[in-house]
Amino acid sequence: MCMIYSLGGVSGGHFNPAVTLAVVTSGRGKCSSRDGVAYTATQLLAGFAAGLVTKLFHAAGPNSEAKHLLQPGEGHSFIDAGLAEFFFTAV
C-alpha cells in the first residue's frame, strides 16, 4: 500500500497483475480493460525477464554450483509460507 500511495500518481499504481486486475474490475473507470491487458502482459514479461537475468548471473557467478530451490526454509512448512504470504500481501 505504501508503494501505491507514494508512486500511484506517477505510474497509476500498477505494480503487479493483482493490482491491475483490482483497478480494472473496480468499475471506477481508472483503467480500461485494454490497458489492463497490456499492463498485465508487460508485468508478466518483465517478471520472466528478471528471472532469466537472475538465472544467467547466478550461472556465471562464483557459487554457480549451489542449488537454490524455491521452497520454504528449513523448519518452515508450505502452510507457514502460505500464511505469511497471505498476511504480508494484505498489509
Side-chain angles (χ1 to χ4, degrees), residues 22-35:
V23 171
V24 170
T25 59
S26 70
R28 296 173 51 202
K30 298 282 186 179
C31 181
S32 69
S33 296
R34 181 177 176 209
D35 286 345

Side-chain angles (χ1 to χ4, degrees), residues 2-91:
C2 293
M3 293 290 291
I4 293 170
Y5 281 119
S6 62
L7 298 173
V10 176
S11 69
H14 298 276
F15 297 112
N16 64 49
V19 172
T20 300
L21 179 64
V23 171
V24 170
T25 59
S26 70
R28 296 173 51 202
K30 298 282 186 179
C31 181
S32 69
S33 296
R34 181 177 176 209
D35 286 345
V37 169
Y39 285 139
T40 299
T42 301
Q43 292 157 350
L44 294 174
L45 183 62
F48 178 77
L52 183 60
V53 168
T54 301
K55 180 180 178 179
L56 293 173
F57 272 103
H58 178 71
N63 296 318
S64 61
E65 298 300 319
K67 299 251 187 249
H68 299 284
L69 303 175
L70 187 57
Q71 63 185 16
E74 187 175 328
H76 301 282
S77 69
F78 280 100
I79 292 174
D80 296 337
L83 289 172
E85 181 70 26
F86 178 80
F87 174 76
F88 288 114
T89 297
V91 170

